């Protein structure tokens, strides 16, 4: 199954100069976990997640109203084409330990595909499970202990 058949085409995006506060409001309003950050030409510049806002802005004790998205977004994010197979999307998610991928066509964001989208697809059950396992791997590792006495 192609990514085109699974992706969400209703993309909510933000520009690099907008505030982290606006990004947080958009994420909450649209019940999203990530926003593609696009330039005026529609080209992808990065991605900003709810976690980016918390860890790179709020936890750093900076004012979300004054911090532009460009300062907290992730750059060089993994992307996929709408013609790619869903299994490739799952592979990329697992390798990059991400739950969402921007879908690019002719350099423009035309959709987003999430791990949840893959999980809804019967043909992608195994790939989605493998990707989730890879993404969750670091979360479930026990902390390392120091030398014993």
């Amino acid at each position: 199954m192609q990514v085109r058949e699974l992706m969400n085409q209703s993309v909510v995006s933000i520009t690099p100069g907008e505030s982290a506060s606006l990004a947080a409001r958009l994420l909450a309003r649209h019940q999203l976990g990530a926003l593609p950050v696009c330039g005026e030409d529609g080209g992808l510049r990065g991605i900003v997640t709810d976690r980016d806002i918390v860890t790179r802005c709020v936890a750093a004790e900076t004012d979300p109203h004054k911090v532009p998205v460009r300062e907290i977004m992730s750059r060089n994010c993994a992307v996929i084409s709408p013609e790619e197979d869903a299994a490739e999307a799952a592979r990329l998610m697992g390798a990059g330990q991400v739950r969402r991928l921007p879908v690019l066509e002719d350099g423009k964001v035309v959709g987003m595909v999430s791990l949840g989208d893959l999980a809804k697809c019967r043909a992608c059950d195994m790939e989605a499970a493998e990707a989730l396992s890879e993404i969750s791997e670091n979360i479930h590792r026990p902390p390392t202990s120091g030398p014993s006495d």
Side-chain angles (χ1 to χ4, degrees):
M1 180 170 285
Q2 287 186 323
V3 168
R4 180 181 307 283
E5 299 170 61
L6 299 171
M7 71 183 193
N8 182 346
Q9 295 178 28
S10 301
V11 179
V12 178
S13 65
I14 193 163
T15 61
E18 296 291 348
S19 71
S21 177
L22 175 60
R25 286 194 309 275
L26 288 171
L27 289 166
R29 182 179 306 138
H30 297 282
Q31 298 179 354
L32 300 169
L35 294 172
V37 181
C38 299
E40 296 300 324
D41 61 355
L44 185 68
R45 302 291 185 267
I47 196 163
V48 65
T49 66
D50 45 6
R51 188 171 194 279
D52 292 332
I53 295 167
V54 171
T55 59
R56 297 177 182 165
C57 184
V58 177
E61 297 183 2
T62 56
D63 184 350
H65 297 287
K66 295 179 181 174
V67 174
V69 168
R70 78 171 61 80
E71 291 183 15
I72 62 168
M73 71 183 189
S74 297
R75 292 170 172 78
N76 302 319
C77 51
V79 299
I80 195 157
S81 162
E83 286 79 33
E84 286 287 343
D85 189 76
E88 177 63 7
R91 189 194 69 71
L92 286 170
M93 287 179 193
Q97 296 198 340
V98 296
R99 295 174 185 267
R100 297 162 197 88
L101 291 175
V103 182
L104 296 186
E105 190 168 48
D106 298 324
K108 308 263 191 272
V109 178
V110 294
M112 292 287 284
V113 65
S114 71
L115 189 56
D117 296 329
L118 296 177
K120 291 177 196 172
C121 167
R122 283 276 187 216
C124 307
D125 282 347
M126 185 59 88
E127 289 89 349
E130 287 176 21
L132 181 59
S133 175
E134 289 180 36
I135 292 166
S136 300
E137 188 173 87
N138 288 334
I139 295 170
H140 293 89
R141 272 195 196 135
T144 57
S145 57
S148 51
D149 295 325

